[in-house]
């Protein structure tokens, strides 16, 4: 069983930055694809960014390209989401996720989810 614990959420003004962290348990973190997703009030959960296990290939939702960056520190079993130039529409609960296959196969194939951290961007 893998546990994922997010941190770093909070309240920030539009144009500001936040860095989310997700600490994972287990010894094979380096092999997992890790991702960030978000769910805004009244909306479905959506993909934000992912980074593969081998190679560290990254992919982003169009809405965050150029503003957000996902990266990982395998020595610390941690994945990060650096969020810059935040907009009010980025307000959501952000979830960390792990795909043990090593590559992101879609939300339906996610093996583990964190409990989320709330991000609120004021205008």
């Amino acid at each position: 069983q893998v546990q994922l614990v997010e941190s770093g959420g909070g309240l920030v003004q539009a144009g500001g930055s936040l860095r989310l962290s997700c600490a994972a348990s287990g010894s094979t973190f380096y092999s997992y694809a890790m991702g960030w997703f978000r769910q805004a009030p009244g909306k479905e959960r959506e993909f934000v960014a992912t980074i593969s296990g081998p190679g560290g290939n990254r992919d982003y939702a169009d809405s965050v390209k150029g503003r957000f960056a996902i990266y990982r520190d395998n020595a610390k079993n941690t994945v990060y989401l650096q969020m810059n130039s935040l907009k009010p529409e980025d307000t959501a609960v952000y979830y960390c996720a792990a795909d043990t296959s090593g590559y992101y196969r879609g939300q339906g194939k996610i093996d583990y989810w964190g409990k989320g951290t709330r991000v609120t961007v004021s205008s």
Side-chain angles (χ1 to χ4, degrees), residues 75-123:
K76 296 183 178 180
N77 274 22
T78 301
V79 63
Y80 303 93
L81 185 68
Q82 178 66 44
M83 306 187 295
N84 299 325
S85 302
L86 282 161
K87 304 175 181 179
E89 51 264 43
D90 294 318
T91 294
V93 176
Y94 283 72
Y95 297 90
C96 176
D99 186 328
T100 59
S101 75
Y103 297 91
Y104 176 56
R105 300 172 291 167
Q107 283 200 52
K109 297 290 188 181
I110 292 292
D111 296 295
Y112 300 102
W113 291 95
K115 294 184 178 181
T117 184
R118 185 174 301 275
V119 172
T120 303
V121 184
S122 63
S123 57

Side-chain angles (χ1 to χ4, degrees), residues 33-36 47-61 64-65 68-74 78-82 102-104:
M34 299 299 298
W36 288 96
F47 166 79
V48 175
T50 188
I51 184 167
S52 68
N57 293 323
R58 298 169 175 83
D59 192 22
Y60 297 93
V64 306
K65 280 181 181 176
F68 289 12
I70 186 171
Y71 59 102
R72 65 194 298 160
D73 185 338
N74 290 336
T78 301
V79 63
Y80 303 93
L81 185 68
Q82 178 66 44
Y103 297 91
Y104 176 56

Side-chain angles (χ1 to χ4, degrees), residues 2-27:
V2 175
Q3 291 187 328
L4 304 174
V5 180
E6 303 97 334
S7 61
L11 173 64
V12 63
Q13 288 188 332
S17 298
L18 280 176
R19 188 182 76 163
L20 306 183
S21 301
C22 172
S25 64
S27 60

